[in-house]
Amino acid sequence: MASDKPRKVIPIVQAAAPTGRLGLNRVQQQRLATQAGFFLLFIIAPIFDLLRYDLDAGHAWLLGMEWRLGLDEFMAGRIGALEAGANVLLRLFLPIFAGAAAFIWVAYRWGRLYCGWLCPHFSVVETINKLMLRASGKPSVWEKETLPPWEPDGTPRRRDARWWLVVVPAAVLFAFTWAVVFLTYLLPPGEVYGNLFGGTLTRNQALFIGVFTFVLSMEFLFARHLFCRFACAVGLFQSLAWVSNRDAMVVGFQRQRASQCATCLPDRESACDMVCPMRLNPRNIKRHMFTCTQCGQCLQACEQSQHDNPQGPLLTWVSKEAARQNEAGFRAGRGQ
């Protein structure tokens, strides 16, 4: 005889479908916007006389106004040497020192923010890295081995040699753009662009653009991040200021969960190692991260690779006492 007691119904929950490739997080979206905005500013600044030096006129332009040192009056005998010296101090050295001090102060607290968030050269580095990765499986021709064929979120990444048809033209196009823009910082932009589009460049203008395009093409193709790491004085001074501050913002790593970090990709590789455009290991001591640009791509990679982990990512920004403890943790780990 069947029981009249109601049966307990156990709901069946269908397994969630794969989420697919994860997009940029909010920080990376903001960084991409600032890079694009600064690259645009880099191009249009000479056009609107926001900042350039006019070789023809013999003076600089700043925010649409002529910027002179006042030496013309001294040469004409209208002012004395003392006043001329004061003009040079107030109009040249003081603004330069004030700007440099503010620049170094930012680097002292937060690292190479200019490189990772604004620098138009570094945005080209990242773009060509990604294109070359699609073409060869390596972000640089000097990389010893191809990277594992996985995105940080675990989705497969395919490579296709046909992407070389994009890599080389992109490098040359960036180089040509830079060459033309740099020329407009020295000569009237209207003259440069008028001669360029009209096919009437002078011999010196054509020589400058041609040589500069060739040199930058080689740099973009073969020495992009190497220049940023070993040759850029702007980056060097930022790194020196950053490393000297033990409380500065740095990528913090939870060493106690290191086993999860080493197996976050299907091939038992670390996602954060693969995405760094400077080819650094983000899980290292600060002095080995000397050229870190604070781009945060390693943090996004960790966030994506650990998106199903209830403990969250292993990499986070830390500063002040947390930065000191993070560095102390590395030293303690080495002493064990």
Side-chain angles (χ1 to χ4, degrees):
M1 181 175 178
S3 173
D4 294 334
K5 185 177 180 180
R7 297 180 181 180
K8 184 178 181 180
V9 179
I10 301 177
I12 300 176
V13 180
Q14 186 176 1
T19 56
R21 183 170 299 179
L22 301 177
L24 297 177
N25 61 22
R26 184 178 179 182
V27 172
Q28 290 304 313
Q29 290 174 351
Q30 293 173 342
R31 191 176 73 91
L32 184 62
T34 60
Q35 282 184 317
F38 198 81
F39 198 95
L40 180 61
L41 179 63
F42 166 68
I43 293 175
I44 68 173
I47 299 175
F48 295 100
D49 292 329
L50 299 179
L51 178 64
R52 70 181 183 90
Y53 184 84
D54 195 324
L55 291 176
D56 290 344
H59 64 79
W61 289 86
L62 178 65
L63 301 179
M65 298 178 290
E66 294 184 4
W67 186 14
R68 299 177 183 270
L69 298 181
L71 295 180
D72 294 339
E73 288 80 359
F74 173 71
M75 297 299 293
R78 290 190 290 269
I79 61 174
L82 185 61
E83 187 175 352
N87 286 340
V88 173
L89 177 63
L90 294 175
R91 300 179 187 181
L92 179 62
F93 290 109
L94 188 60
I96 289 177
F97 289 150
F103 188 75
I104 294 301
W105 179 79
V106 170
Y108 180 79
R109 291 197 60 181
W110 296 292
R112 293 175 64 166
L113 285 184
Y114 170 78
C115 294
W117 288 69
L118 297 176
C119 178
H121 179 272
F122 193 70
S123 60
V124 174
V125 170
E126 292 187 73
T127 300
I128 298 180
N129 276 8
K130 293 174 183 177
L131 293 175
M132 197 169 287
L133 186 62
R134 287 175 174 265
S136 65
K138 300 189 296 182
S140 166
V141 295
W142 308 116
E143 198 81 13
K144 294 181 179 180
E145 299 179 357
T146 58
L147 300 184
W150 305 100
E151 297 290 345
D153 58 8
T155 57
R157 182 183 61 245
R158 295 179 176 84
R159 63 179 178 179
D160 189 336
R162 289 176 294 182
W163 275 95
W164 283 111
L165 299 176
V166 179
V167 174
V168 177
V172 175
L173 180 60
F174 275 123
F176 176 77
T177 302
W178 271 59
V180 173
V181 171
F182 266 121
L183 189 57
T184 64
Y185 275 87
L186 302 175
L187 296 176
E191 174 187 339
V192 174
Y193 288 118
N195 291 350
L196 177 64
F197 294 132
T200 57
L201 288 172
T202 66
R203 178 181 179 276
N204 288 340
Q205 291 172 355
L207 187 63
F208 179 94
I209 293 176
V211 171
F212 213 98
T213 298
F214 174 77
V215 173
L216 276 179
S217 295
M218 296 299 101
E219 195 267 341
F220 287 155
L221 286 171
F222 300 106
R224 301 178 305 282
H225 63 278
L226 297 178
F227 173 83
C228 294
R229 291 185 66 175
F230 304 114
C232 180
V234 175
L236 173 64
F237 285 113
Q238 290 180 91
S239 293
L240 289 173
W242 176 63
V243 170
S244 67
N245 181 12
R246 295 179 60 191
D247 293 336
M249 184 178 72
V250 68
V251 175
F253 173 51
Q254 299 184 34
R255 289 181 57 82
Q256 68 275 14
R257 296 172 55 197
S259 59
Q260 300 175 15
C261 186
T263 59
C264 60
L265 290 183
D267 291 336
R268 301 183 66 82
E269 299 283 347
S270 299
C272 58
D273 292 345
M274 299 193 305
V275 299
C276 178
M278 298 292 275
R279 312 312 305 138
L280 303 175
N281 179 350
R283 298 165 290 123
N284 215 329
I285 59 177
K286 189 175 183 179
R287 62 186 176 87
H288 289 166
M289 294 289 290
F290 183 77
T291 56
C292 174
T293 61
Q294 310 294 61
C295 69
Q297 293 187 65
C298 56
L299 278 76
Q300 175 180 257
C302 186
E303 177 185 314
Q304 292 180 342
S305 66
Q306 303 292 331
H307 69 279
D308 290 330
N309 189 335
Q311 293 181 286
L314 294 87
L315 300 180
T316 54
W317 292 120
V318 294
S319 59
K320 298 182 179 179
E321 183 59 29
R324 291 173 177 260
Q325 293 299 325
N326 182 72
E327 192 74 2
F330 279 110
R331 294 195 180 98
R334 283 172 172 254
Q336 293 175 354

